[in-house]
Each structure stands twice: as structure tokens, then as C-alpha cells.
């Protein structure tokens, strides 16, 4: 595929950069650098939340130039608690995505959507997308078996993805290895967010079920969460541009 500046910019728009740090200044620097070359969405997970507090962390992203936030809270509790937590998250400015653990079940996932819808109506904000985590990309077949999952990680992923679809959620988080299979069984427009993205020859770290950026997009991913290959690079902007180029060359 012809690599053009417009295509690279579009590819960068599909990347979510995680802010897995306890240091506010480090987070601001990363948001500033990545926003300057086109990243719009940044992930706030439990590391940053526990250090700064969720409302403060989300506000920091917006103040530093980020346009959207993925709140990677992975809500997993009784439906009453999840509804309340989803409403609290959805009421924050700039929240674009929030997630729940799909293994919490149907009633819990439906409660998350109820909370998000209620908060959006009450605050006058657009509702964030609500997506379900299927199987963590750090879990291989042995880890999944030890955790009590029935069958393979892919089989568990497909069960949760189809249940999330039935519940009316907007999509799922899943391994790039399972994206094509999820795309085949869920409704058109279903959002598929892939973590565990690793360019060829990069270190896997604690990830077990991974895929390349271009391969994930070719399989049908909507957006990619790409952390350490970018955040751990000496030249973070250069690393992102190289990844975006590979997405254009191999992503369709």
C-alpha cells in the first residue's frame, strides 16, 4: 500500500497510548509529545489512577493536549457497584472509552451500560463507549486453565464477546490473535480494541498472546493500545511513526 502522510496520520489516530506511570510530569510530557504528532486518545489505568486519583488523571490528560481518555478500570463487581462506578466515570469530561471485565456476567455488563447512559443524560455529555475485557493478553492457555476458564483462551474470548454483544455493549478488548474470530461472530460496527501489540523483533515483556500493529488492523481491530514499544523507546515520536508506517504497509 502507498505510504502517504495522510495515511500515516490516519493510522496514528487508531493508536491509544497508555500512561502507565505514577509521575504526573512524566505523563504530561508523554501526552504533549504524542499529541504533537496526532495521538488523540490516552489510556489511564490503575497505576496512574492509584497515584493521582482518577478525576485528576483524566483532567491532566486533557490539560496536556489529549482529546480523549480511555479509562482502563476493568470494572468487576456486583451490578449495583458497577452501575455506580460507570456513571461516575462517564460523568468526567473527556472520557471516550471505559471497560468492564466481561467475566462479571450479563447483569453486570448491562448495569455498566445503564450507568453510562444515565450519567450522559444527567451531565449532557456524549456517552462513552462501554467495552468488555475478554481474556488478558498476559494469559496463555496454562494461565487460563489455572484460572478456571473452560476451553482455550480463544473459546473464552468468543463467549464473552458474544455475551457483550447480546448485552448491547459497544465492543470488547481482546488479543490480536482473536480479533478476526471476534469480528466474524459479532455485529457490524462492534468495537475491537487490541492491547498486546508488539512490532516484529520487539520484547514481549509479560505479554503472551500478541500481534503486530499491521496484522492487528488487517484482522479487523478498531484501535490499538500500544505502550512499551513507544513509551520505552529513546525516541518516542520516532517509534510511533515507525509503527504507524507499518500499520499502513501491512494493515489491509
Amino acid at each position: 500500500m502507498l505510504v502517504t502522510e495522510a495515511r500515516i496520520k490516519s493510522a496514528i489516530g487508531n493508536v491509544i497510548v497508555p500512561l502507565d506511570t505514577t509521575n504526573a510530569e512524566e505523563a504530561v510530557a508523554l501526552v504533549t509529545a504524542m499529541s504533537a504528532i496526532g495521538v488523540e486518545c490516552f489510556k489511564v489505568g490503575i497505576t496512574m489512577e492509584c497515584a493521582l486519583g482518577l478525576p485528576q488523571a483524566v483532567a491532566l490528560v486533557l490539560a496536556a493536549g489529549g482529546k480523549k481518555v480511555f479509562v482502563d478500570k476493568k470494572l468487576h463487581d456486583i451490578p449495583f457497584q458497577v452501575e455506580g462506578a460507570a456513571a461516575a466515570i462517564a460523568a468526567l469530561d473527556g472520557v471516550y472509552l471505559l471497560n468492564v471485565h466481561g467475566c462479571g456476567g450479563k447483569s453486570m455488563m448491562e448495569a455498566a451500560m445503564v450507568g453510562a447512559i444515565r450519567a450522559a443524560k444527567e451531565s449532557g455529555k456524549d456517552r462513552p463507549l462501554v467495552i468488555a475485557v475478554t481474556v488478558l493478553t498476559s494469559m496463555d492457555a496454562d494461565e487460563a486453565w489455572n484460572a478456571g476458564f473452560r476451553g482455550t483462551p480463544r473459546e473464552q474470548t468468543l463467549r464473552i464477546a458474544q455475551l457483550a454483544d447480546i448485552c448491547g455493549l459497544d465492543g470488547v478488548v481482546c488479543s490480536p490473535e482473536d480479533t478476526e474470530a471476534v469480528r466474524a461472530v459479532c455485529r457490524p460496527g462492534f468495537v475491537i480494541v487490541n492491547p498486546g501489540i508488539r512490532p516484529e523483533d520487539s520484547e514481549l515483556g509479560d505479554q503472551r498472546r500478541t500481534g503486530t500493529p499491521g496484522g492487528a488492523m488487517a484482522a479487523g481491530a478498531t484501535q490499538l493500545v500500544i505502550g512499551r514499544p513507544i513509551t520505552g523507546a529513546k525516541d518516542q515520536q520516532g517509534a510511533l511513526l515507525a509503527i504507524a508506517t507499518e500499520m499502513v504497509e501491512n494493515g489491509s
Side-chain angles (χ1 to χ4, degrees):
M1 178 180 289
L2 181 64
V3 177
T4 64
E5 185 176 344
R7 289 185 181 277
I8 291 175
K9 183 177 180 180
S10 177
I12 289 174
N14 291 322
V15 174
I16 300 173
V17 175
L19 305 173
D20 296 327
T21 178
T22 60
N23 186 302
E25 292 183 358
E26 185 178 309
V28 167
L30 183 58
V31 173
T32 301
M34 294 294 100
S35 296
I37 58 172
V39 175
E40 295 187 350
C41 188
F42 295 86
K43 181 174 78 71
V44 171
I46 57 175
T47 297
M48 192 175 181
E49 179 205 355
C50 289
L52 305 179
L54 184 58
Q56 294 84 349
V58 171
L60 178 151
V61 174
L62 301 180
K67 295 181 179 179
K68 301 184 289 188
V69 179
F70 170 19
V71 175
D72 184 23
K73 182 69 175 173
K74 297 183 179 72
L75 299 174
H76 188 184
D77 209 320
I78 62 172
F80 175 81
Q81 293 288 356
V82 168
E83 179 180 341
I89 294 169
L92 298 173
D93 289 337
V95 176
Y96 164 67
L97 279 170
L98 67 89
N99 61 4
V100 302
H101 256 304
C103 56
K106 184 173 185 289
S107 296
M108 190 206 74
M109 285 194 277
E110 291 173 338
M113 184 61 81
V114 168
I117 291 171
R118 171 166 56 84
K121 289 181 178 178
E122 291 175 352
S123 64
K125 296 180 174 67
D126 291 336
R127 176 182 66 79
L129 300 178
V130 181
I131 60 178
V133 175
T134 53
V135 179
L136 298 176
T137 50
S138 61
M139 299 182 76
D140 58 16
D142 288 340
E143 288 272 10
W145 177 263
N146 291 335
F149 292 168
R150 306 192 313 273
T152 66
R154 175 166 295 179
E155 289 169 338
Q156 177 73 359
T157 293
L158 292 177
R159 277 193 292 269
I160 292 177
Q162 289 176 294
L163 183 59
D165 196 3
I166 290 169
C167 291
L169 266 64
D170 298 296
V172 293
V173 181
C174 73
S175 164
E177 291 184 356
D178 301 325
T179 294
E180 188 172 5
V182 170
R183 182 63 69 203
V185 299
C186 292
R187 69 181 184 272
F190 201 62
V191 172
I192 301 178
V193 176
N194 281 172
I197 300 300
R198 292 291 183 268
E200 289 187 11
D201 300 324
S202 63
E203 294 184 4
L204 297 183
D206 58 356
Q207 300 287 1
R208 294 293 176 267
R209 295 181 302 114
T210 64
T212 63
M217 295 304 295
T222 309
Q223 288 173 296
L224 311 181
V225 178
I226 308 178
R228 284 165 279 186
I230 295 171
T231 60
K234 291 182 179 180
D235 178 3
Q236 295 173 336
Q237 290 184 336
L240 174 58
L241 289 170
I243 286 169
T245 300
E246 193 271 340
M247 290 167 66
V248 172
E249 292 174 339
N250 302 311
S252 64

